[in-house]
Amino acid sequence: MKGFFEAGLGIILAVALYTLLGKISASLLFLFNPFSCVVLYFSLMKHDIFGAAMGTVCGLLQDSLSLGLFGVAGLTKTLLGFSTGFISRKINVAPVTRNFVFLLIVSTIELALWKLLALFLFRERFALGGGLVLFQPLTTAFIVALLFQIVRKKRGESS
Amino acid sequence: MPFSLKERRKFALFAGLIFFHLILISLQVPKGNEPTYFKKAFFAVFSPVQHGVVSFFQGVNRLWNNYFYFRQVQRQNQGMRDEIFLLRQENQTLKNTLLKFKGEKEIQELLSTISRSILVCSVIGYDSSDIHKSIVLNRGSRDGVKRDMVVLDRRGRLVGRVIDPVTLKQARVQLVTDKESGVGVLSERQRVVGILTGYAEGKCLMKYVYRTNKEIGEGEEVSTSGFEGIYPSGIPVGKIITITEDATLFKKIVVEPYLDFSELDEVAVFTIDLRELS
């Protein structure tokens, strides 16, 4: 029950952060994807199925805030959530550097897959936001890795 | 390495989720741009969160401005007085010009109709796939917002039009920079007609101008023509930045729209059909 509450809170925080970033500067939305951060965080913490479910909800939510086809971000984020959770169960990705590199790889693949699907379905050029979108996996990986390490440390101290 | 029953179940569930998304995507193909009920439901549930966040930060901002920035008020006040003075001059000049064509009573009625039909809205969200596609406003059907209403920025330049979904308190606006949008435009100097659509990185393309047309030039302003039956004529849209030619029948005309995201915190929605006024 606590897990579902945390997930709901995470989703609402992602929407709030997404709105806030847009209000500060619309270009920040190219640089940072709060929905991917939520999916990656819960995939690392609660693994594959929970990650896939979070990917579905966050992806569909992201799709509902867009004019594009409903389900494209849902599909890629479901893949992201499941694969991150599955791999993190098989390989130890807890150490700081390994954690960051792993998150960087999966978020890069997710972004590439999302853009490729959009290209395939809409036949349109990538919106690069002046190159800012290329930094999106880096910022996403950095923020999730930082959050993951902080939570791990806190849990380690309390236990 | 064989997978356990538990893992097989997980893969089955994952495959089910992927299948669900594929079905969801393929169901939309015959519908084109029409949003599904599922999409509308997601929008209706989560757009109030955006509304709440924006209202909260606007409240904090107002509090900050009210209590901590009193020193700036006098300067702001003077700036606004100067602006009002200039706007009054402009307004009077326009009224005098209009008087040549219409009676004073008719003009007063026209101006009062226009001012009553302007709905000032805050932008509470941007499109998650590409910010140049759409925005979300903090007003909806409860405030009289309907599909196809024209949206202008604070300087009266074209932003886009209201599209579905329109909920009670929120509405989505398709921007002129969206690739799926189409606005009938004409060049200001040479009156060359074309269709404006989104291109890339916030730029637009003015389509269907023949290669043989030698009149249109770079730097020329484009405004709405009103031919597509949605936008009234004469609204400024942008400026032509490049004109190139290739093997096709038409010129490739790139337009830099006036739409500026740094000034897009507030927009005006016209709740009446502006074409009826012209």
Side-chain angles (χ1 to χ4, degrees), chain A residues 118-134:
Chain A
L119 180 75
F120 173 69
L121 292 166
F122 308 121
R123 306 243 177 261
E124 64 184 36
R125 287 172 61 169
F126 295 154
L128 292 173
L132 280 177
V133 82
L134 301 173

Side-chain angles (χ1 to χ4, degrees), chain B residues 188-242:
Chain B
E188 280 296 285
R189 279 204 303 267
Q190 302 298 333
R191 320 298 283 175
V192 177
V193 178
I195 303 284
L196 194 86
T197 62
Y199 176 47
E201 303 292 326
K203 304 275 190 304
C204 296
L205 269 186
M206 186 172 166
K207 289 182 173 175
Y208 311 119
V209 176
Y210 286 112
R211 283 178 69 182
T212 47
N213 188 314
K214 301 293 174 200
E215 292 164 336
I216 198 161
E218 287 175 7
E220 206 168 332
E221 192 178 64
V222 291
S223 59
T224 52
S225 65
F227 293 158
E228 82 294 285
I230 294 173
Y231 302 99
S233 59
I235 301 174
V237 182
K239 205 170 253 185
I240 296 171
I241 49 170
T242 55

Side-chain angles (χ1 to χ4, degrees), chain A residues 16 18-20 22-23 48 56 61-62 64-68 70 74 78 82 89-90 125 127-130, chain B residues 7 10 14 21 28 38-39 42 46 50 53-54 57 123-124 126-131 163 172 178 199 201:
Chain A
Y18 176 79
T19 310
L20 189 63
K23 281 309 262 185
D48 36 26
T56 297
L61 178 56
Q62 186 179 320
S64 75
L65 299 172
S66 159
L67 275 189
F70 191 58
T78 306
F82 186 82
R89 202 193 277 274
K90 301 284 174 193
R125 287 172 61 169
L128 292 173
Chain B
E7 287 208 317
K10 276 183 188 173
F14 171 62
H21 281 105
Q28 290 167 81
F38 207 30
K39 186 173 185 172
F42 256 87
F46 286 100
Q50 291 189 298
V53 171
V54 172
F57 283 101
V123 176
I124 59 168
Y126 295 91
D127 197 292
S128 59
S129 63
D130 179 1
I131 57 168
I163 54 163
R172 187 178 285 283
D178 179 28
Y199 176 47
E201 303 292 326

Side-chain angles (χ1 to χ4, degrees), chain A residues 91-103 145 148-149 152:
Chain A
I91 308 166
N92 179 19
V93 287
V96 185
T97 319
R98 206 186 293 176
N99 187 246
F100 174 72
V101 172
F102 170 65
L103 289 169
F148 182 68
Q149 295 304 328
R152 246 185 91 213

